[in-house]
Amino acid sequence: MSAPTQTTRLYDRLMVGSVARRYYDNSGFFNFGYWTAQTKSQRAASEELVDQLVDRLPNKTGSILDVACGLGASSERLARTFSPNKITGVNISEAQLAQARKRCPGSTFLVMDATKLQFPDAHFDNVICVEAAFHFDTRDDFFREAFRVLKPGGALIVSDMLFKHFSDTLGQMAHVPCANHVRDIAEYRNRLAAAGFTDIDIDDATDVCLARFRTNLAHWPLTEYRAGRLKLSRTLGMALIFRILAAYFGFTCKTYLLVSARKRGSG
């Protein structure tokens, strides 16, 4: 088992913190979400993001591996489509997995590095990774491992981000290895193809994921205050912090991707 990294320890703290729990409505999610005209909350947007990815699966039966499953919210959402006993979640944080096991009983959760999956070849029908692959050291290693553990005809679905103004400093701030810097969608497609994938489909979801998340984040404290759920004294401080966070994501993040790809069938 890999030792916890600085990034892991940071997420362990952030994901269970009182502010994150409140913002995500105790859902266990910790992603930007997918925002439609009808979306009213971060929780709903995060649920919709998983649904959007599942919609890209050509075969919604069999087994699915949830890579970097966090606190188990994505696995819990997957259980609306897949039988819980067909869902396996992996993460490098045992603290996060402890919460996932409570949130999604009946599924299997294991401590595991996404770039060194300890499963046999051709073991899963589907692999999903929600907004985490840019952290992996490296993303290309994860693609190769996902390809290996997929059965022929299996599918990989991913939400991921490309970053702008990339430098060693930015990489350290955003916890993104320099090897994961990808210039554009065309290069991202080529990296998937190099891992063996075909039928690669990549949608630019920057507006409905990144941009609308930033808008909601910046306005959330004031919205909570107007609804009577946040005192004025706390609203002022949180409003400044949330606007800074929204600006940070705008400065660092370039393109938000929704990705699907397949491992060619044996026939």
Side-chain angles (χ1 to χ4, degrees), residues 84-96:
N85 66 354
K86 295 293 186 178
I87 300 170
T88 301
V90 297
N91 203 318
I92 57 174
S93 168
E94 176 57 45
Q96 293 175 37

Side-chain angles (χ1 to χ4, degrees), residues 48-108:
E48 181 63 27
L49 177 59
V50 177
D51 293 347
Q52 285 287 326
L53 290 172
V54 170
D55 284 346
R56 286 163 166 77
L57 288 174
N59 182 3
K60 298 177 178 61
T61 61
S63 57
I64 186 165
L65 174 64
D66 187 1
V67 179
C69 63
L71 302 177
S74 53
S75 298
E76 183 179 27
R77 191 69 179 179
L78 288 171
R80 293 165 56 96
T81 303
F82 296 86
S83 174
N85 66 354
K86 295 293 186 178
I87 300 170
T88 301
V90 297
N91 203 318
I92 57 174
S93 168
E94 176 57 45
Q96 293 175 37
L97 290 176
Q99 297 297 315
R101 294 184 186 105
K102 296 176 182 178
R103 183 165 274 110
C104 196
S107 298
T108 301

Side-chain angles (χ1 to χ4, degrees), residues 116-176:
K116 300 174 184 176
L117 296 174
Q118 298 167 32
F119 299 108
D121 296 353
H123 192 66
F124 293 99
D125 296 287
N126 301 287
V127 175
I128 183 173
C129 180
V130 181
E131 210 173 291
F134 52 86
H135 286 312
F136 300 158
D137 194 5
T138 64
R139 181 199 278 123
D140 291 338
D141 289 332
F142 162 62
F143 285 164
R144 286 188 286 269
E145 280 292 273
F147 184 85
R148 181 184 64 78
V149 303
L150 276 170
K151 297 176 182 178
L156 169 69
I157 47 174
V158 176
S159 67
D160 204 352
M161 276 185 284
L162 309 185
F163 294 82
K164 53 189 176 183
H165 310 304
F166 206 90
S167 65
D168 288 344
T169 300
L170 173 60
Q172 292 173 6
M173 289 175 57
H175 304 283
V176 179

